[in-house]
Amino acid sequence: FEVATTEGRTPIKQDEKKGVLREFKKGDIFFNYGCFPRTWEDPRHVSADTGYPGDNDPLDVCEIGLRQIQTGEIRPVKVLGVLAMIDDDETDWKVVVIDAEDRWASELNDVADVERLLPGTISLIREWFRTYKIPDGKPPNKFALGEKCMSAEYAYGVVRETHGAYRKLLASGGHDELHLPREPSALRELDRDGAFLDELCPPGPVAVAA
């Protein structure tokens, strides 16, 4: 299931590829999979860190808490890190988060905490996304940044950048067939969202560890 970005009110529905409903032949995932609203991975922008453009979708989120979240449910989360997956020569960020009300939330503040307290979790997420297309006869996906899961600080920079891209998308009137609100100015708290992200991750480059 994905957000249908080209349909009115962008419903959550089973994705299609060339008119055929998509299914994961690899099987179910062990984490909650969703997205951050009001973000956009701009296909016209090539990331300096990955060398590839965005995938024209909202920013993907992998929530690693204990509770299964229902489709369409909105949850507050803590950002912990991010993986830079490369899918069909497009940057497809995977932000790793924890439900703010999860039993582990108070103990997890960065990817290093995940590796220390929940060892193997990041590796399992990476390998699931690396291999999920193989049953369809496709090659494994790649990861940029040395396949490293980047820090929470870096991840907040990705969220900030993709939120900025979404705001530019609104101001420009759209891209391809993406469905946008008829009155972008009516979106509530858009400026608040930007100010919140600026506070968490001030404008400027975030260092990339070698």
Side-chain angles (χ1 to χ4, degrees):
F1 281 67
E2 291 195 359
V3 176
T5 56
T6 61
E7 296 186 22
R9 300 190 178 182
T10 58
I12 297 173
K13 59 185 292 188
Q14 189 169 357
D15 194 24
E16 295 183 12
K17 197 81 167 184
K18 297 180 180 179
V20 179
L21 293 176
R22 292 183 65 198
E23 295 181 354
F24 292 139
K25 294 180 181 178
K26 181 177 173 66
D28 291 337
I29 53 179
F30 69 93
F31 48 87
N32 292 299
Y33 191 44
C35 70
F36 279 130
R38 299 183 178 182
T39 61
W40 183 49
E41 297 193 52
D42 187 349
R44 303 167 298 186
H45 170 70
V46 176
S47 168
D49 289 347
T50 69
Y52 292 93
D55 70 351
N56 201 32
D57 279 329
L59 192 56
D60 293 334
V61 174
C62 306
E63 195 279 322
I64 60 173
L66 298 174
R67 186 174 73 89
Q68 185 174 359
I69 298 173
Q70 298 301 307
T71 301
E73 187 176 352
I74 300 172
R75 300 294 304 164
V77 298
K78 290 175 67 174
V79 171
L80 304 174
V82 64
L83 290 161
M85 190 175 89
I86 307 302
D87 186 358
D88 290 333
D89 291 334
E90 295 176 332
T91 302
D92 190 1
W93 298 104
K94 306 298 181 187
V95 184
V96 180
V97 307
I98 184 78
D99 190 311
E101 298 178 2
D102 190 84
R103 168 257 181 272
W104 287 103
S106 62
E107 300 179 62
L108 301 178
N109 296 297
D110 210 324
V111 66
D113 298 323
V114 181
E115 298 285 24
R116 178 172 54 88
L117 297 172
L118 302 173
T121 299
I122 299 298
S123 178
L124 287 170
I125 293 173
R126 185 190 298 110
E127 292 312 305
W128 196 94
F129 281 113
R130 188 198 306 279
T131 61
Y132 82 98
K133 289 186 175 181
I134 291 178
D136 293 318
K138 297 183 178 180
N141 286 317
K142 301 178 293 184
F143 289 85
L145 301 172
E147 301 199 349
K148 181 179 179 181
C149 186
M150 305 303 289
S151 68
E153 179 188 16
Y154 185 97
Y156 274 122
V158 173
V159 178
R160 182 182 178 280
E161 181 180 76
T162 53
H163 175 66
Y166 175 77
R167 296 186 68 157
K168 291 178 182 177
L169 177 68
L170 292 176
S172 69
H175 174 71
D176 288 346
E177 298 180 355
L178 293 178
H179 179 81
L180 297 176
R182 291 182 180 178
E183 298 293 337
S185 60
L187 289 175
R188 294 178 296 175
E189 309 294 356
L190 196 61
D191 290 336
R192 179 209 60 182
D193 293 346
F196 175 69
L197 289 170
D198 284 346
E199 182 179 346
L200 287 172
C201 184
V206 176
V208 178

